[in-house]
Amino acid sequence: MAKIQKIKGFADLFADEAGKYTFLENTARAVFSRYGYGELRTPVVEFTELFAKGIGQDTDVVGKEMYTFPDRKGRSLTLRPEATAGVVRAFIESGAYQPGGVYRYFTFGPMFRYERPQKGRMRQFHQINVECFGSPSAFTDAEVLLMLADFLTAVELERLSFEINTLGCPDCRPAYRATLAEFLGKIPDEALCEDCRRRRAANPLRVLDCKVPGCREASAAAPSIQDKACGRCRANFDIVRAALSGAGLAYVLNPRLVRGLDYYQGTTFEVVSGDIGSQSSVAGGGRYDGLIRTLGGPDAPGVGFACGMERLALLLAGRPAEKPDFHIAVLDPAGLAAALSLAQQLRAAGFSGLCDHEAGSMKSRLRAADRSGARQCLIIGGDELATGTVVVKSLATGEQTTVPMERAASALGK
Ligand code: HAM
């Protein structure tokens, strides 16, 4: 039969790689819980409508990238392309919200986007996602950013650039949008890529985000949202900037940072790495005050971010795999039962290890022990069985001693 292969853009993560994800998740859990965040796990499949309404029909994510399919009753379902919409849905559905309350959640897990796979871009990828509901304060924006920085420091990722912007609010963005559309309307067609030619009227802010060099050049002198934002948005942005500076977190102002999902307003940010190629954004987020209401919930504000774990994993140095403490080599089939029982005793005593379930020659069993990476090999042959002993051999130095089987644990030491 032809070999069944994994789907393009999907990955198998074996121990070395999976260990990085576990490390990232465990560290995130520890850091976020210090800020009062609790874990929330939501389904990976939701009704399509949730994402269409939440993320926006005109976004690439909803327009081109969703894995959408009918279920057996013909209802349209979608594999989540991001976590925020599902977390908001769960929050609304829980009925937990009380005016004045602040609710803090983090979520880990796979997300799905039908994008062109490349380094740092997968069709199934994993996010570490954070959402804070209920606080309109710019100090919350600042704290969320500082928590993200805290996490990235805890996983020892440096050389990252924090880029921040404000996208204005429903009071000031429409005027900015019109000013920007007017500016973009004067650019000759041939100076813009096909997408931007279409976007400049329909979604002018997205032109600022285009990576095509010609479009960047043509829009270089575009008016900046940071200059056109209303007093409240500017005051909030000043609070965020002052708080970041006060905490010693260096940042870059990026007036072109518009994000790819439609729910944002006010503070937005991305964390960018120069070390992983074109898919350089390792985290992104911002404030989305209208989203909970758009999805049928209370008029509660929100702010959050997500880190892409594939991209963080690319930046993490190889983590040494855990090695077993022992490998029990069995040379005589009559020793298999004693070996199994010894292995159980050693594990109960806190050691990790492997045990032969088939006997073999000294040479083949020592080779297997070496391959396992174990520190010590415990050898049980005919002589040891007859005397109730075991040979303890250091696989690093080759030194060996014979001890009574019940003393194997103390011979292993730690
Ligand atoms: P996003 O910018 O679409 O935001 O994704 C966040 C991060 O997920 C990106 O910075 C990137 O590291 C990673 N990512 C996105 N797509 C892929 C992919 N195809 N392969 C690998 N990594 C990828 C959101 O998803 C928002 N929900 C973040 C948020 C939470 N905003 C507020 N709360």
Side-chain angles (χ1 to χ4, degrees):
M1 199 183 90
K3 251 190 297 171
I4 299 175
Q5 297 180 330
K6 63 180 175 298
I7 306 166
K8 185 173 170 193
F10 289 62
D12 303 307
L13 304 177
F14 286 95
D16 284 356
E17 198 60 15
K20 293 184 188 172
Y21 286 61
T22 309
F23 167 68
L24 290 167
E25 287 178 0
N26 288 346
T27 311
R29 214 173 249 122
V31 172
F32 299 164
S33 57
R34 286 207 295 270
Y35 288 77
Y37 283 72
E39 185 161 358
L40 170 63
R41 301 186 190 214
T42 65
V44 293
V45 189
E46 300 271 2
F47 288 116
T48 304
E49 192 191 355
L50 174 72
F51 303 115
K53 264 199 189 157
I55 299 172
Q57 284 288 0
D58 290 340
T59 58
D60 283 353
V61 171
V62 172
K64 310 187 202 164
E65 297 170 359
M66 295 205 301
Y67 279 88
T68 296
F69 53 94
D71 75 0
R72 288 180 182 274
K73 291 207 167 136
R75 291 169 296 212
S76 182
L77 305 184
T78 293
L79 297 183
R80 63 180 178 193
E82 56 111 51
T84 309
V87 172
V88 168
R89 193 234 0 102
F91 174 65
I92 296 172
E93 211 172 326
S94 75
Y97 180 69
Q98 300 285 331
V102 179
Y103 304 82
R104 301 172 177 87
Y105 303 103
F106 66 85
T107 308
F108 306 137
M111 311 291 154
F112 304 84
R113 294 185 193 175
Y114 197 91
E115 294 190 85
R116 200 167 48 76
Q118 63 181 90
K119 184 177 168 198
R121 189 162 72 191
M122 297 295 287
R123 289 182 174 168
Q124 176 177 325
F125 61 99
H126 299 78
Q127 284 186 344
I128 291 177
N129 184 83
V130 160
E131 311 296 353
C132 179
F133 301 143
S135 168
S137 167
F139 288 101
T140 308
D141 305 7
E143 190 183 68
V144 159
L145 263 157
L146 293 175
M147 183 170 86
L148 171 59
D150 210 353
F151 163 64
L152 293 169
T153 305
V155 293
E156 291 174 24
L157 292 184
E158 282 142 19
R159 290 165 38 88
L160 295 172
S161 164
F162 280 72
E163 302 193 352
I164 62 169
N165 192 19
T166 176
L167 285 182
C169 65
D171 289 341
C172 56
R173 188 152 33 161
Y176 171 69
R177 217 181 114 113
T179 313
L180 179 63
E182 196 188 320
F183 170 89
L184 296 173
K186 291 185 191 141
I187 298 175
D189 274 358
E190 57 281 10
L192 294 174
C193 73
E194 211 180 298
D195 280 342
C196 285
R197 258 178 257 160
R198 191 173 36 79
R199 283 191 287 224
R200 64 175 147 180
N203 201 344
L205 269 80
R206 206 45 58 70
V207 175
L208 299 178
D209 192 34
C210 182
K211 302 287 179 286
V212 175
C215 297
R216 292 192 86 82
E217 206 175 299
S219 63
S224 159
I225 178 92
Q226 289 174 13
D227 301 330
K228 305 277 177 202
C230 64
R232 199 173 58 103
C233 284
R234 269 202 259 184
N236 282 340
F237 199 47
D238 286 346
I239 289 176
V240 173
R241 293 179 55 181
L244 299 188
S245 303
L249 179 65
Y251 62 84
V252 179
L253 290 178
N254 179 359
R256 286 177 166 267
L257 178 68
V258 300
R259 310 277 301 127
L261 312 165
D262 276 354
Y263 46 63
Y264 292 108
Q265 62 179 58
T267 310
T268 50
F269 50 88
E270 280 188 15
V271 180
V272 180
S273 163
D275 299 328
I276 49 172
S278 67
Q279 299 308 308
S280 58
S281 170
V282 299
R287 181 162 278 283
Y288 47 85
D289 287 351
L291 180 62
I292 299 178
R293 188 127 135 191
T294 303
L295 292 176
D299 193 9
V303 56
F305 65 80
C307 300
M309 294 176 75
E310 278 66 16
R311 297 180 193 176
L312 294 179
L314 282 173
L315 289 167
L316 283 182
R319 308 196 68 70
E322 291 276 318
K323 300 283 189 213
D325 296 317
F326 65 84
H327 184 126
I328 305 183
V330 183
L331 311 183
D332 182 332
L336 288 170
L340 190 70
S341 146
L342 176 62
Q344 290 300 85
Q345 287 166 33
L346 293 174
R347 291 175 188 135
F351 295 100
S352 63
L354 308 174
C355 175
D356 282 351
H357 296 159
E358 282 181 274
S361 68
M362 176 76 96
K363 193 170 160 206
S364 83
R365 298 332 303 145
L366 277 180
R367 203 180 314 125
D370 258 334
R371 261 200 310 265
S372 76
R375 281 190 302 117
Q376 315 252 29
C377 184
L378 305 183
I379 305 166
I380 302 180
D383 289 351
E384 289 75 29
L385 261 185
T387 53
T389 57
V390 59
V391 175
V392 181
K393 180 181 173 80
S394 160
L395 289 173
T397 64
E399 268 172 63
Q400 62 178 62
T401 52
T402 301
V403 300
M405 217 174 264
E406 60 276 9
R407 298 227 14 252
S410 46
L412 279 183
K414 256 282 176 183

